[in-house]
Amino acid sequence: SIALVGGTTAAFVTGSPLDTASPNRAYNTTTYAAQGQESGQRGIQFNVPTTAGAGLWYTNVRINFDIRWSNTASRYVQLQYSTDGVNWVDAALLEAPRPAGGQGGDIWWSSIQQPGRSGNDFRFSYLVPNSVTDSGGFANFAFRMVAVFEPATGQYTAARLGSTYSTSGTLRYDLVEVEGDLVPEPASMIALGSGLVSLLALRRRKK
């Protein structure tokens, strides 16, 4: 399931260039905190149990998604995960891309090449530590993306160089996918795409 965190609002809009669904739709979040307030308290949350019943669970859990910053959105977004849906662990600090020769903003993470990637695979991907996912699975496993201050200034910074941060800035998500290996058999977990929240599907994967 999906929840909005801390007062954000959202609507369906045009999705990632890597989304081949028709219509191509993504979840566009807005209504973020005022400058200098509520760092890490507003964003979007995904609740994805890593238990599979009958004593089975998922390990090697990978979180994948496309993200698009508007010009005035917070340049920094913190990915966090939780095993109980209450206590959160910082996983990765995402920074709006500013490609060489560009100022950033209005850019999908998937639309520019990332270090270590090739071809068209520019999506954000994070592997939850196996020390966590090898613990038998969690019925309340969740992850979220929340807007945070720039570490160096303690204030929100706009994604686009020269722009001013605004509470109406948007963070847009598409092709959100959580994969894992079913213990003892390999499998995928839950894929959310083609409109983000319209479908839930289980897919099997071979090693």
Side-chain angles (χ1 to χ4, degrees):
S1 66
I2 298 176
L4 296 171
V5 178
T8 54
T9 58
F12 285 105
V13 295
T14 301
S16 163
L18 296 184
D19 189 342
T20 59
S22 181
N24 177 1
R25 310 296 283 171
Y27 212 41
N28 199 46
T29 63
T30 188
T31 317
Y32 282 88
Q35 179 60 273
Q37 299 181 26
E38 300 180 25
S39 179
Q41 297 183 39
R42 296 198 183 205
I44 188 170
Q45 177 175 326
F46 298 84
N47 304 302
V48 188
T50 59
T51 52
L56 302 178
W57 71 92
Y58 293 97
T59 188
N60 296 320
V61 174
R62 299 171 296 283
I63 299 168
N64 312 294
F65 56 87
D66 286 5
I67 177 174
R68 177 189 181 277
W69 282 262
S70 72
N71 288 331
T72 60
S74 172
R75 185 181 181 187
Y76 294 89
V77 176
Q78 182 71 58
L79 170 67
Q80 301 175 322
Y81 69 83
S82 173
T83 57
D84 59 11
V86 177
N87 300 292
W88 297 92
V89 177
D90 288 346
L93 182 64
L94 312 183
E95 181 179 348
R98 291 180 178 173
Q103 294 179 308
D106 287 342
I107 295 175
W108 279 98
W109 186 286
S110 62
S111 66
I112 66 170
Q113 188 168 0
Q114 298 297 307
R117 304 291 178 95
S118 61
N120 292 321
D121 181 19
F122 305 151
R123 308 186 66 207
F124 177 80
S125 183
Y126 176 77
L127 175 65
V128 179
N130 282 349
S131 59
V132 174
T133 61
D134 283 344
S135 299
F138 301 96
N140 295 312
F141 183 84
F143 66 96
R144 66 184 186 180
M145 283 75 78
V146 288
V148 294
F149 296 155
E150 179 178 354
T153 66
Q155 297 285 307
Y156 293 113
T157 302
R160 180 179 173 83
L161 184 66
S163 293
T164 301
Y165 168 79
S166 172
T167 60
S168 61
T170 62
L171 294 166
R172 191 180 305 186
Y173 300 93
D174 196 4
L175 298 174
V176 178
E177 183 178 68
V178 182
E179 296 179 322
D181 295 334
L182 184 63
V183 179
E185 297 177 356
S188 289
M189 284 175 60
I190 297 176
L192 292 82
S194 304
L196 190 65
V197 295
S198 58
L199 295 174
L200 293 176
L202 290 175
R203 302 183 306 161
R204 291 201 171 272
R205 179 175 67 80
K206 297 294 184 181
K207 278 188 174 179

